[in-house]
Amino acid sequence: MAGKEQITDERLAELTQQGDKQAQEQLLLRYQKLVRFCARKFFLVGGETEDLIQEGMMGLLQAMNTYKQGTSATFKSFAYLCICRRIMDAVKLAAKKQP
């Protein structure tokens, strides 16, 4: 992973979309704290924080695979949105399943 630490998030997302696993790993490491931060804001009925963190990581993966450079949003703001939406969807689904 040498050298990828200095690359912008936007470029890493582009490399991830091209199949670069090292770029993907670098973004996962960079955004791990953000995912945990987002997950702590929510409560999952019948679940644990780790479940929400997993959902958040799935949201991050979605952000990495769908981010388009040249838009007005930075990768960080797009990733935050994808992470939070994925977590909120999981919370809503769990709430619907409760009697």
Side-chain angles (χ1 to χ4, degrees):
M1 240 181 284
K4 295 235 187 304
E5 295 84 10
Q6 304 302 322
I7 298 175
T8 66
D9 296 344
E10 290 76 13
R11 178 68 177 134
L12 286 173
E14 182 182 351
L15 291 171
T16 296
Q17 292 170 12
Q18 295 170 4
D20 188 331
K21 296 296 181 190
Q22 290 179 336
Q24 182 182 40
E25 182 67 27
Q26 185 64 36
L27 273 177
L28 288 170
L29 289 172
R30 284 186 189 182
Y31 283 88
Q32 193 172 28
K33 288 182 182 178
L34 179 63
V35 170
R36 289 187 177 280
F37 173 78
C38 293
R40 285 190 195 119
K41 295 184 199 180
F42 297 94
F43 174 74
L44 184 63
V45 176
E48 297 182 15
T49 303
E50 286 300 317
D51 297 326
L52 292 177
I53 291 171
Q54 279 186 329
E55 289 295 329
M57 293 302 279
M58 295 301 292
L60 177 57
L61 287 170
Q62 178 187 5
M64 287 190 280
N65 291 322
T66 59
Y67 179 75
K68 290 180 178 45
Q69 280 191 310
T71 62
S72 60
T74 63
F75 177 77
K76 185 174 185 174
S77 62
F78 182 69
Y80 178 80
L81 185 66
C82 290
I83 291 164
C84 288
R85 282 185 178 168
R86 181 73 184 232
I87 291 171
M88 285 189 285
D89 288 346
V91 170
K92 288 177 187 176
L93 183 62
K96 285 181 183 179
K97 291 182 178 180
Q98 290 299 315

